[in-house]
Amino acid sequence: MAGKLIGIGVGPGDPELLTVKAVKALRMADVVSVPKAHSDVSSLALGAVRQILEDRQDPPELLELVFPMTKDKSEIERVMARNASAVADRIDRGKVVAFITLGDPMFYSTFVYLFEAMRRHYPGVEIEIIPGVTSLTACAATARLPLAEREEVVAVIPSEVDKCEVEEISRHADSMVFMKCARRFKELVTVLKRSPFEKSTVAIVRRCSMPEERVVVGEVAEAEGWELPDDYFSMMIVKRRDAEKERGDVV
Amino acid sequence: MAGKLIGIGVGPGDPELLTVKAVKALRMADVVSVPKAHSDVSSLALGAVRQILEDRQDPPELLELVFPMTKDKSEIERVMARNASAVADRIDRGKVVAFITLGDPMFYSTFVYLFEAMRRHYPGVEIEIIPGVTSLTACAATARLPLAEREEVVAVIPSEVDKCEVEEISRHADSMVFMKCARRFKELVTVLKRSPFEKSTVAIVRRCSMPEERVVVGEVAEAEGWELPDDYFSMMIVKRRDAEKERGDVV
């Protein structure tokens, strides 16, 4: 049997939001790999697959990979080369290594780093990618706020993007999604109040699809008064209400 | 038993990309509803769930809903009120109605229309939403092109968005995803060649995750020469290569 690497998106956290394909892959993988750096993220990803792994009669090896917490590019490359080597070593021995990641492997995931390191150092290794449900749409479902219709433009904006950039983007988007935004929540609301999103609906979803899930939905105008805990897994969706006016035919 | 409406995202087309939750819901729904207007879309969504429905000993009622092909707002509202009535009628009788949609119910889906019509005309009806894998990340997986890392901004742009808007958006995004873009492909490449995406990687994915899936990956500079069939289910991803240079720490 030839070994390979499988990048598996396990979805937002609820074990039922894994795909059938992800479940099958996790039932047969020889090694299950998780990033160690952000222990909270790793434990949430592991939590989503725990039952599948516990139900196995032949438990897989658990391989924790340390991801760099630095911005130093050469340090990142050094650590990632070591991770790639640990994975390649097992693949060489015919093992199937499943790297699990919350959400989707190609969407703000540490898998991208492993993927690129593998391609650089072990270009012959087979890599399969199983997409997953992202927090993007899972949060929209929880907040009951349609993310996009017809000709609406959606912008996905990570936590550290500059305030002026956010202002610029707000002129061209109908929906904006701010990833892991809790720390900057008040600052972002202030920006939104002076933008075309001034009269928008805003939803904050914490720990979407998990037992600790919390949702707040309201108006941008009132959001400055909200007191929100600084939870890493918080997402904010804003949707221009006037965008709906322009809606045309359905298909 | 109380009836309810469940909006189910069935993912990009591959039956294995349904979530466990979607599979369970489809095994117990009394009614499975699909939009009729765009017959190709409906049959693809049905194709993704066909086996689940065929395996049932008690096949569900199949409810085809006609969605308006017009931009006339009052006509849309009239047709959607009729659809909502057909759904509410079954829910009144204690039935669980599953509306299936390719991708995700809150992301460019006809479900949004039904959802809004139900909330307007039958506000007391319970509505559950099961998110699905979107073509956004499924295409990134197929093209093996990471959609976003760290502080990168992603813009999702539907097929009819104005060329000048695309130019503006290109100044503030690191990745752009053009939905159902086949018809405008050459025009978009011309815009990209004069944008910060001039030296980007571009991927076109047709019928992602389906048996007829096709992928082309290359450089924006060469893409004008590509001859692509005008397939409704085509998505284009462009990713600025220079964005990667700015990458900092991983978590």
Side-chain angles (χ1 to χ4, degrees):
Chain A
M1 264 286 277
K4 63 176 169 179
L5 170 63
I6 314 182
I8 301 182
V10 301
D14 177 353
E16 296 227 313
L17 291 177
L18 260 81
T19 63
V20 174
K21 197 167 190 170
V23 173
K24 284 189 182 172
L26 287 162
R27 282 193 187 136
M28 54 70 80
D30 303 299
V31 182
V32 172
S33 179
V34 281
K36 200 182 182 183
H38 216 292
S39 58
D40 206 13
V41 184
S42 305
S43 66
L44 288 172
L46 264 178
V49 307
R50 178 157 297 126
Q51 199 58 52
I52 298 168
L53 303 185
E54 281 179 7
D55 288 349
R56 283 181 54 163
Q57 304 203 320
D58 55 336
E61 177 197 354
L62 209 65
L63 173 65
E64 279 197 318
L65 296 178
V66 175
F67 280 72
M69 297 281 283
T70 173
K71 294 202 182 210
D72 176 342
K73 217 184 158 188
S74 63
E75 168 71 4
I76 293 174
E77 287 189 356
R78 205 176 54 76
V79 176
M80 288 314 301
R82 202 162 56 207
N83 286 339
S85 161
V87 169
D89 168 63
R90 285 156 177 87
I91 292 170
D92 267 355
R93 288 184 275 129
K95 308 275 190 195
V96 172
V97 179
F99 184 92
I100 59 170
T101 182
L102 273 184
D104 181 278
M106 294 309 232
F107 195 67
Y108 301 105
S109 160
T110 46
F111 176 72
V112 173
Y113 291 81
L114 182 62
F115 177 69
E116 287 176 351
M118 291 298 293
R119 290 218 286 195
R120 192 177 315 125
H121 300 291
Y122 307 95
V125 163
E126 185 187 344
I127 304 178
E128 186 183 338
I129 301 168
I130 302 179
V133 173
T134 65
S135 53
L136 198 69
T137 61
C139 288
T142 298
R144 312 177 86 67
L145 189 61
L147 204 55
E149 297 158 64
R150 281 193 52 72
E151 297 310 318
E152 293 176 5
V153 171
V154 179
V156 185
I157 303 172
S159 60
E160 301 298 325
V161 167
D162 180 75
K163 207 160 73 171
C164 302
E165 270 304 285
V166 174
E167 275 179 24
E168 284 294 334
I169 294 165
S170 75
R171 293 196 198 118
H172 307 288
D174 300 292
S175 295
M176 295 197 291
V177 182
F178 296 92
M179 314 276 290
K180 308 198 169 91
C181 66
R183 194 163 305 182
R184 287 184 75 201
F185 172 67
K186 294 215 181 222
E187 182 197 350
L188 289 169
V189 169
T190 309
V191 173
L192 292 173
K193 281 180 79 173
R194 288 175 293 140
S195 81
F197 284 79
E198 178 195 355
K199 295 196 172 118
S200 297
T201 304
V202 55
I204 308 275
V205 185
R206 262 172 66 206
R207 304 212 164 220
C208 184
S209 91
M210 301 176 203
E212 316 81 25
E213 177 183 276
R214 291 290 176 277
V215 190
V216 191
V217 182
E219 303 297 311
V220 166
E222 61 182 345
E224 263 177 335
W226 296 351
E227 288 303 329
L228 301 170
D230 178 9
D231 188 306
Y232 184 73
F233 291 97
S234 298
M235 177 175 268
M236 174 163 70
I237 304 175
V238 277
K239 181 162 186 198
R240 282 173 67 163
R241 204 152 322 116
D242 51 352
E244 292 176 31
K245 286 188 201 142
E246 302 302 321
R247 184 197 310 150
D249 58 344
V250 175
V251 289
Chain B
M1 263 290 276
K4 64 176 171 180
L5 169 63
I6 313 181
I8 302 182
V10 301
D14 177 351
E16 296 228 313
L17 291 178
L18 260 80
T19 63
V20 173
K21 197 168 190 170
V23 173
K24 284 188 182 173
L26 286 162
R27 282 194 185 136
M28 54 70 82
D30 303 299
V31 182
V32 172
S33 178
V34 282
K36 199 181 180 184
H38 217 293
S39 59
D40 205 15
V41 183
S42 305
S43 65
L44 289 171
L46 264 179
V49 307
R50 179 159 294 126
Q51 199 58 52
I52 298 168
L53 302 185
E54 282 178 7
D55 287 349
R56 283 182 53 165
Q57 303 202 320
D58 54 337
E61 178 198 352
L62 210 64
L63 173 64
E64 278 196 319
L65 297 178
V66 176
F67 280 72
M69 295 283 281
T70 172
K71 293 202 185 212
D72 177 341
K73 219 185 156 188
S74 63
E75 168 71 4
I76 293 174
E77 286 188 359
R78 206 177 53 77
V79 177
M80 288 314 301
R82 204 163 53 208
N83 286 338
S85 161
V87 169
D89 169 62
R90 284 157 177 87
I91 293 171
D92 267 355
R93 289 187 272 128
K95 308 275 190 196
V96 172
V97 180
F99 183 93
I100 58 169
T101 181
L102 273 184
D104 180 279
M106 295 308 233
F107 196 67
Y108 301 105
S109 159
T110 45
F111 176 72
V112 174
Y113 290 82
L114 182 61
F115 176 69
E116 287 176 352
M118 291 300 290
R119 291 218 287 194
R120 192 177 313 127
H121 300 292
Y122 307 95
V125 163
E126 187 187 341
I127 305 178
E128 187 184 338
I129 301 167
I130 302 179
V133 172
T134 64
S135 52
L136 198 69
T137 61
C139 288
T142 298
R144 311 177 88 67
L145 188 60
L147 204 54
E149 296 159 65
R150 281 191 53 70
E151 297 309 319
E152 293 175 6
V153 171
V154 180
V156 186
I157 304 171
S159 60
E160 300 298 324
V161 168
D162 180 75
K163 206 160 77 172
C164 303
E165 270 304 284
V166 173
E167 275 179 26
E168 283 295 332
I169 296 164
S170 73
R171 294 197 196 117
H172 307 287
D174 301 292
S175 294
M176 295 197 293
V177 182
F178 296 92
M179 314 275 290
K180 308 199 169 91
C181 66
R183 193 163 305 180
R184 288 183 75 200
F185 172 67
K186 293 212 182 223
E187 180 197 351
L188 290 170
V189 169
T190 308
V191 173
L192 292 172
K193 281 180 79 173
R194 289 175 293 142
S195 81
F197 284 80
E198 178 195 356
K199 293 192 172 122
S200 298
T201 304
V202 55
I204 308 273
V205 185
R206 262 171 66 205
R207 304 211 165 221
C208 183
S209 90
M210 300 176 203
E212 316 80 25
E213 177 183 274
R214 292 289 177 277
V215 190
V216 190
V217 182
E219 303 297 311
V220 167
E222 60 182 344
E224 263 177 337
W226 295 351
E227 287 304 329
L228 300 169
D230 178 9
D231 188 305
Y232 183 74
F233 291 97
S234 298
M235 178 176 268
M236 174 162 70
I237 303 174
V238 277
K239 181 162 187 199
R240 282 172 68 164
R241 204 154 319 118
D242 50 353
E244 292 176 32
K245 285 188 202 142
E246 302 301 321
R247 185 196 311 150
D249 58 345
V250 176
V251 288

